[in-house]
């Protein structure tokens, strides 16, 4: 199926969802949805997405519903066209219609996941940078070039060859190391 035809079939799916929403609203409120006042919605309940004072707003009007409908058609057509252009061999009219039906919901779900994905990608990128810096410091220490300042990984007053700086001393064997469970001395 051509991506351009898929856009139109997907937009038809979005229009079908918009029609279903309007029919449900008319059955529930017994009037057109753009004439419904926020105070007349039964049962009145507090929703977390409503800011204080919004419950007394006037009805949105038909222009707002037309804009919302056009935007839904745009989202449905765009997502369907994108999928059809990416996977042309698996797109047929039924699949394009179903993608158009669920396009708005899918975009809303992805939009809620994007900040989480960006945060985790940022953490992963910073983790890679930190590991790379540590590897560079270790390579410099192995070459015998101590790093400069406190960023070298050593304690500020400790010499480079001391055990506290991570280096090893010659002649240090297992017999001379203290057992941490022992109070003091010879094993």
């Amino acid at each position: 199926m051509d991506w351009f035809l898929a856009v139109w079939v997907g937009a038809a799916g979005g229009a079908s969802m918009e029609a279903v929403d309007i029919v449900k609203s008319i059955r529930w409120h017994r009037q057109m949805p753009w004439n419904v006042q926020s105070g007349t919605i039964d049962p009145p309940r507090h929703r977390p997405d409503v800011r204080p004072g919004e419950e007394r707003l006037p009805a949105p009007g038909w222009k707002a519903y037309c804009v919302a409908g056009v935007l839904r058609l745009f989202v449905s057509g765009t997502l369907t066209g994108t999928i059809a252009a990416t996977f042309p061999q698996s797109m047929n009219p039924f699949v394009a219609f179903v993608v158009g039906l669920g396009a708005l919901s899918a975009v809303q779900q992805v939009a809620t996941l994007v900040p989480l994905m960006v945060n985790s990608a940022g953490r992963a990128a910073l983790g890679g940078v930190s590991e790379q810096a540590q590897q560079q410091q270790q390579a410099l220490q192995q070459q015998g070039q101590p790093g400069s300042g406190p960023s070298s990984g050593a304690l500020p007053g400790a010499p480079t060859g001391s055990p506290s700086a991570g280096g090893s001393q010659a002649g240090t064997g297992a017999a001379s190391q203290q057992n941490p469970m022992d109070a003091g001395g010879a094993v």
Side-chain angles (χ1 to χ4, degrees):
M1 172 178 234
D2 183 29
W3 69 268
F4 191 71
L5 180 61
V7 167
W8 289 107
V9 174
S16 299
M17 262 326 281
E18 190 66 31
V20 167
D21 287 346
I22 290 174
V23 168
K24 285 180 2 183
S25 180
I26 291 171
R27 285 187 178 169
W28 181 260
H29 299 290
R30 309 255 190 254
Q31 58 184 341
M32 296 305 261
W34 46 85
N35 294 328
V36 175
Q37 299 284 335
S38 58
T40 62
I41 298 174
D42 288 329
R45 57 186 162 195
H46 177 70
R47 295 189 329 237
D49 59 335
V50 176
R51 292 175 283 191
E54 280 187 350
E55 55 270 350
R56 293 182 297 279
L57 288 176
W62 64 271
K63 291 178 186 176
Y65 268 82
C66 287
V67 169
V70 168
L71 289 175
R72 176 176 254 175
L73 296 179
F74 176 75
V75 168
S76 297
T78 303
L79 184 63
T80 308
T82 303
I83 292 173
T86 307
F87 304 106
Q89 68 279 5
S90 62
M91 187 62 71
N92 60 41
F94 177 73
V95 171
F97 186 78
V98 170
V99 168
L101 283 174
L104 187 64
S105 182
V107 169
Q108 287 173 340
Q109 293 297 319
V110 168
T112 59
L113 294 176
V114 166
L116 298 174
M117 291 187 297
V118 168
N119 284 341
S120 66
R123 285 189 200 115
L126 289 177
V129 168
S130 126
E131 289 173 7
Q132 187 179 24
Q134 289 175 355
Q135 289 173 356
Q136 288 175 353
Q137 288 175 359
Q138 289 175 354
L140 287 175
Q141 287 176 356
Q142 288 175 355
Q143 293 175 357
Q145 300 173 355
S148 62
S151 65
S152 68
L155 295 175
T160 322
S162 74
S164 64
S168 63
Q169 292 181 343
T172 304
S176 65
Q177 293 180 355
Q178 289 186 357
N179 186 358
M181 301 306 260
D182 235 353
V187 193

